[in-house]
Every structure is written in C-alpha cells, then in structure tokens.
Amino acid sequence: MWDWIVDILFQILKLIQGFAVDWGLSIIILVLIIRLLLTPLLLRSTRSMARMQVLQPKLQEIQQKYADDPQKQQEMMQKFYSENKFNPLGGCLPLLIQMPILFALFTLLRNLPSYFPGVETSAFSFYNILPDLTMVPSQAFANDPVTAIPYLVALVLFSVLTLIPTLLQSRNQTGSQAQSMRVMAVVMTVMMLWMGWGLPAGVLLYYDVSSLWQVIQQQLVTRKVTEKAKAEEEARMASAPIEVDVVRRERQARPHKKS
C-alpha cells in the first residue's frame, strides 16, 4: 500500500525534474504546488481554530460542571460541538495530509539511486548548495565537517522553522495555555534536531521550504483570517439565546386541615 504512494511521488518529481533540471528545485516546486492546493483547507482550518479559542471558555464550563460524570460530560460536549457546527479535529487535517508526503519522500530519497542504476548520487543535488539530497547530516558530518555545513544549516532550519509558527500562535493565547505552547515548542525543536540528524537532505529541504511558506502565510494571511473568524464567532455567541437550566420540583401534597 505504501509503495504506490512512493511511486506516485517519484513520477511527479520526475515530471517536474524534466523541465526544472535540478532535483532540489523540483522538490521546491513540489512544495509550492502542495501548499497552493492546501491553502483553502488551511484557511478553513484556521477559522476552525479561531472559533475554538472563542468556544474554549464554554467547553471548560461544561467540563467543570460535569467533572463527576464523564459520560454526561462527553454527551454535553458532543451536543455543544453539534449545535455550534464545530469539528475539533478540523485544525489537524492539513498536517495529517502532509505527513504521508514527508514519509514517502523519506523513503523515495533513501532509495533514489536504485531508480537510476549507474548514476552517481551527486546527480541528485540542489545546485551544489546541497551536493547530495540523499545524504543525511550525520553522514555528511562524519565525512567532512566543513563540507557538511550546508547540511547542518538545513538541519538547524528544520528545527527553528518548527519553533517559530508555534511561538507565533502562542501570542493568541494567555496564561498557562500560552506557557504550555512555548514549552512544547522548545521540546519539539530539540526533537526535530534529533530526528533531522538522520533524515536525507531532500526531506530537510522540503520541510524547510514548506515551513518558511507557513511562517510567511501566517504573518500575511492567517493572522487576518484568525482575527476576522474570532470577531464573527464572538458576535454570534453574543447574539445566541441564553440557555437556562430549569430544575422542576415535585409538587408536594398539601396537608389536609383537621376538621
């Protein structure tokens, strides 16, 4: 099942490389195509996350109110999601779509020389900036620390460009939630350094360009979409009818007067 995804990715890259000539440039073009295709979905996801920020106090209220009854709590939260037409997993969809592409690209670059028997790995380069896109930073550093500098730069960008978007998002949060996001961002940065140490340079290039696109888009487009979506949701919540819990008391029989 996984092989056909890798084969499709190979055919797309091979088609792009036919006119781009350079494999690194082909990967960059692939990033741009995927990012453009995902833009409508990303904007929808952004609106969903903005609405979640507005709805969060109400969700916390439900969680506290039914803290002693998990089943009732889950039922009320599902009802709340349904009434507000909200999908809690909507914000994760763009990431979930991109993950198979990253894994497929990792598999493809690791085995790319086998697709072209007799061709040197130096043919799979990015204008000699990254001389071998199949090379991993750890191997490049072991061969020659000086020539490994471009690979190490790609690795550092791999981690830093993971940190920046989360830090930008944390500005929209307050208190402990903002602090938790910053701590998570630092932990993820360290993890990405560790993971990237063994990833092919082509995967690092793909992720770096994709993350850079995300940062620019976040500053130019996403922030405005978030502010607009939050304002619309706050206005909708303000005009929504107020729900009042009414507890009916059982009517007690009146005492009969003694004659």
Side-chain angles (χ1 to χ4, degrees), residues 194-207:
W194 176 74
M195 289 173 54
W197 187 243
L199 289 178
V203 176
L204 299 179
L205 177 63
Y206 177 95
Y207 189 90

Side-chain angles (χ1 to χ4, degrees), residues 31-46 94 98 164-165 168-169 171 209-226:
V31 172
L32 300 181
I33 292 172
I34 291 174
R35 276 292 181 176
L36 286 172
L37 291 175
L38 287 178
T39 294
L41 186 61
L42 180 64
L43 294 178
R44 187 182 305 173
S45 170
T46 300
Q98 291 189 77
I164 293 175
L168 291 175
Q169 289 177 7
R171 296 188 307 181
V209 176
S210 182
S211 297
L212 184 59
W213 173 291
Q214 180 182 349
V215 171
I216 296 173
Q217 189 178 52
Q218 196 169 357
Q219 291 298 103
L220 299 181
V221 180
T222 308
R223 185 171 57 181
K224 295 180 180 178
V225 172
T226 298

Side-chain angles (χ1 to χ4, degrees), residues 35-198:
R35 276 292 181 176
L36 286 172
L37 291 175
L38 287 178
T39 294
L41 186 61
L42 180 64
L43 294 178
R44 187 182 305 173
S45 170
T46 300
R47 295 187 190 98
S48 178
M49 293 176 66
R51 292 185 64 216
M52 182 62 178
Q53 293 176 18
V54 177
L55 298 174
Q56 192 65 34
K58 183 63 177 177
L59 287 173
Q60 291 175 349
E61 181 182 327
I62 293 174
Q63 291 171 346
Q64 292 173 2
K65 184 175 181 179
Y66 300 100
D68 298 330
D69 189 348
Q71 185 176 353
K72 183 67 174 178
Q73 181 188 93
Q74 187 65 24
E75 179 185 335
M76 295 303 295
M77 288 180 68
Q78 289 298 330
K79 180 182 177 182
F80 182 76
Y81 289 143
S82 178
E83 289 175 348
N84 290 277
K85 299 179 181 179
F86 177 76
N87 181 6
L89 298 179
C92 304
L93 197 54
L95 178 62
L96 293 176
I97 292 176
Q98 291 189 77
M99 290 308 293
I101 298 174
L102 276 173
F103 289 131
L105 187 61
F106 169 76
T107 304
L108 173 62
L109 288 171
R110 188 176 56 182
N111 301 317
L112 191 58
S114 65
Y115 287 84
F116 301 94
V119 177
E120 296 290 333
T121 56
S122 58
F124 311 116
S125 65
F126 175 41
Y127 291 115
N128 291 324
I129 300 172
L130 293 169
D132 183 0
L133 293 173
T134 67
M135 180 80 70
V136 301
S138 58
Q139 182 182 350
F141 187 78
N143 293 343
D144 186 350
V146 176
T147 58
I149 290 177
Y151 297 91
L152 298 179
V153 170
L155 174 61
V156 171
L157 288 174
F158 182 66
S159 61
V160 171
L161 289 171
T162 300
L163 174 67
I164 293 175
T166 307
L167 291 180
L168 291 175
Q169 289 177 7
S170 69
R171 296 188 307 181
N172 297 324
Q173 307 296 331
T174 57
S176 60
Q177 191 170 8
Q179 183 64 26
S180 298
M181 289 187 69
R182 294 188 187 101
V183 172
M184 182 182 68
V186 174
V187 172
M188 282 297 297
T189 300
V190 176
M191 287 183 60
M192 295 300 270
L193 279 173
W194 176 74
M195 289 173 54
W197 187 243

Side-chain angles (χ1 to χ4, degrees), residues 10-31:
F10 170 69
Q11 294 300 332
I12 293 173
L13 276 175
K14 186 178 179 182
L15 177 64
I16 297 173
Q17 200 270 343
F19 63 84
V21 180
D22 183 84
W23 278 96
L25 181 58
S26 300
I27 291 175
I28 292 176
I29 294 173
L30 176 66
V31 172

